[in-house]
Amino acid sequence: MTNSRSREQQAWLRMGATALFLSLSLLSAFSQSPNKWRDSLTVLNKQIASSVWSTDLHLRKASVNLELQQWQYAIDEYGLVLEHEPRNPAALFYRAYASTHLRRYEVARSDYELLLSYLPTHAEARLSLAYVLQQMDRKADALDQLNLLVEQHPDSAVAYASRAALEHDLKQDEAALYDWQEAVKLAPTNADYVASHVELLLTLGRQEEARQRLDDAVKRGIPRGMLQGWYHKCRQTRSRK
């Protein structure tokens, strides 16, 4: 029984990766002017009307709806896919994404949780669930999700950065400092991570350490000009002491 469940989970992981890649590719392919998106939508509607059921066509149509920010149409289209394939990972993920834009957070939470019950290590879904929980003012639950995300993906800079931002919001600044350090280690040329780390150090009154972090970032190849504002803040803070 255990081997059977393991094989099933592996199959779902492969399917999830394939389906989500397909949907992302479709979104990229339709990155054109609104008029061309609408033309594409017209073509897809005709193909759907004249064809037997095709999951691919409905995913394509839903992707165009997303690009046109037609959130409810996209939700309806993904709903049709899920009527035929209740565990379709792309439909679950992007229906939740569209629901989030409509601030239907409880609906989005349900879809993300269902997807994660099939694909528990799906990083984007868990990160999105954490975001939804924060919007629902369930920050402790969101932190639980980010803790699990870091545990599952210890090589993800995004996971550490997301947790650091929430920890700072929860006034857990020492934990946030650790996570910003880890995020920078994993993505050493990400200027945004460096800036967030430095900002927190300055907030805590650790000016010299903040300046050192900036110098380290420049040595790693981040252009000094991108961090000039933070060097200025370090000087201002020092002059006020």
Side-chain angles (χ1 to χ4, degrees):
M1 183 67 72
T2 301
N3 289 337
S4 176
R5 282 199 298 268
S6 178
R7 286 194 297 271
E8 181 182 7
Q9 185 179 67
Q10 289 173 3
W12 271 107
L13 286 168
R14 289 192 297 270
M15 179 180 176
T18 301
L20 289 170
F21 176 78
L22 169 64
S23 200
L24 286 168
S25 298
L26 293 171
L27 285 170
S28 177
F30 286 119
S31 294
Q32 43 193 327
S33 71
N35 286 336
K36 289 186 178 180
W37 289 331
R38 293 188 182 94
D39 290 342
S40 299
L41 196 58
T42 299
V43 171
L44 286 167
N45 280 329
K46 289 180 179 179
Q47 290 177 331
I48 288 171
S50 62
S51 305
V52 296
W53 172 262
S54 168
T55 295
D56 176 70
L57 284 177
H58 284 275
L59 286 176
R60 287 173 182 267
K61 180 178 181 296
S63 295
V64 179
N65 292 141
L66 289 182
E67 289 287 2
L68 291 169
Q69 298 185 15
Q70 297 173 343
W71 309 119
Q72 187 58 54
Y73 285 127
I75 288 169
D76 293 343
E77 207 64 39
Y78 288 126
L80 289 174
V81 172
L82 291 166
E83 286 179 11
H84 288 77
E85 301 175 17
R87 293 186 175 187
N88 185 287
L92 283 169
F93 183 88
Y94 286 109
R95 186 171 71 172
Y97 172 79
S99 294
T100 301
H101 277 275
L102 294 178
R103 299 184 181 181
R104 298 175 185 169
Y105 298 125
E106 187 61 43
V107 176
R109 181 193 63 79
S110 179
D111 276 347
Y112 283 133
E113 287 181 345
L114 182 57
L115 175 56
L116 286 166
S117 72
Y118 306 139
L119 303 172
T121 59
H122 192 291
E124 291 83 359
R126 197 165 299 283
L127 184 62
S128 299
L129 175 58
Y131 170 79
V132 166
L133 289 169
Q134 289 180 67
Q135 299 310 303
M136 297 171 69
D137 202 27
R138 294 173 53 178
K139 293 181 180 179
D141 292 334
L143 186 58
D144 287 342
Q145 292 298 323
L146 293 175
N147 286 337
L148 184 54
L149 181 66
V150 169
E151 181 182 329
Q152 293 175 335
H153 303 278
D155 58 346
S156 170
V158 172
Y160 282 102
S162 300
R163 190 170 69 173
L166 179 54
E167 287 166 337
H168 178 54
D169 189 39
L170 293 171
K171 303 188 185 308
Q172 299 176 9
D173 287 336
E174 289 302 322
L177 277 177
Y178 170 80
D179 279 344
W180 281 126
Q181 290 171 355
E182 293 303 304
V184 170
K185 284 180 186 177
L186 292 164
T189 58
N190 187 308
D192 290 333
Y193 293 170
V194 172
S196 294
H197 187 197
V198 167
E199 180 178 17
L200 183 52
L201 286 168
L202 290 174
T203 299
L204 296 175
R206 295 159 65 169
Q207 291 82 13
E208 292 303 322
E209 189 176 350
R211 174 59 187 255
Q212 185 59 55
R213 296 291 77 76
L214 291 171
D215 291 343
D216 291 343
V218 171
K219 291 176 183 177
R220 292 194 301 270
I222 297 179
R224 187 184 177 93
M226 293 182 67
L227 301 172
Q228 195 59 47
W230 297 102
Y231 274 108
H232 181 64
K233 284 189 176 185
C234 284
R235 289 193 295 271
Q236 281 185 321
T237 304
R238 187 180 302 157
S239 66
R240 289 197 297 267
K241 293 181 68 175

